[in-house]
Amino acid sequence: MKRLITLVLTAVALTACSQIKKNVHQIIHNEEQIEHLQHPVRSTLSFHETYNAGEYLEAIYKNAPEGTFLMGFNDTPMAGFVAAADTAKFMEAMHKEAVRKALPNDCRLMLARFKSDVPDDERDLHSVYLVKTSKNLSMWNVTLQDIYVSDEIYAGHPIIAFQLSGKEVEQWATMTRMNIGKFITIVFEDRVLCAPRVNSEITGGAASISSEFTKEQACALVEEIVSKSSAE
């Protein structure tokens, strides 16, 4: 099975960071117009540590409505897949006492926002993630200095780049440093946008994400994030 969600999480050059801080509204790059934020915004994006799914798969599978849950992988936070048509009844079942007792107190099951590319399955399948929600392990409502859709692509998918602001630059560095080799989920409106594995500490507050969305979906997502953010 090919990798189900492709993503990249990398620090960008300091020169790029300084360019972002100029609050340029638009730039032309490779003949494509890119929209930038004019001012920092307080967003509803959040970053979370994760649990590996392995020891919790049995409880999830046992309590899921029959035929709704496809198991995923033991060594990742992605527990499995649920068809879009089954998400409501699946999530309702996950509130059973038996499931809650099996999961850590700060663990929430969250669905991916975008469908996963699962070979030989024509349904719209969404990944299910195990997300840590403890306040001391999460970055809630992060402030964005900038967010935009890059003109670059990764593994055939567009890239959304963002730049954090203020004290969250150091918080992001700490979170990535403490989770090297592990996964972090990036969440918007209680849906997981991606769950990258951290390869190294990310300083400077800048990163980029890519998932199984189209260019149009990426642009719409950025617009939605900005529209639901408040000016700093």
Side-chain angles (χ1 to χ4, degrees), residues 4 68-72 78-83 116 118 125-128:
L4 300 171
T68 62
F69 180 67
L70 299 178
M71 282 194 183
M78 197 271 287
F81 310 92
V82 177
S116 299
V118 180
L125 296 176
H126 293 260
S127 301
V128 181

Side-chain angles (χ1 to χ4, degrees), residues 25-39:
H25 181 58
Q26 297 175 346
I27 62 172
I28 303 299
H29 186 56
N30 291 344
E31 299 182 353
E32 185 169 353
Q33 182 171 286
I34 298 177
E35 299 287 337
H36 286 266
L37 292 180
Q38 291 181 294
H39 307 284

Side-chain angles (χ1 to χ4, degrees), residues 60 90-91 94 99 103 107-111 128-130:
I60 295 171
F90 171 80
M91 294 302 289
M94 292 302 99
V99 179
L103 299 177
C107 180
R108 279 188 61 190
L109 293 178
M110 290 189 185
L111 296 166
V128 181
Y129 291 94
L130 277 66

Side-chain angles (χ1 to χ4, degrees), residues 9 170-181 184 198-203:
L9 184 61
E170 182 56 36
Q171 290 177 331
W172 183 228
T174 300
M175 177 179 277
T176 54
R177 182 174 65 251
M178 298 298 292
N179 286 278
I180 293 174
I184 288 176
V198 180
N199 294 320
S200 62
E201 177 183 357
I202 299 176
T203 59

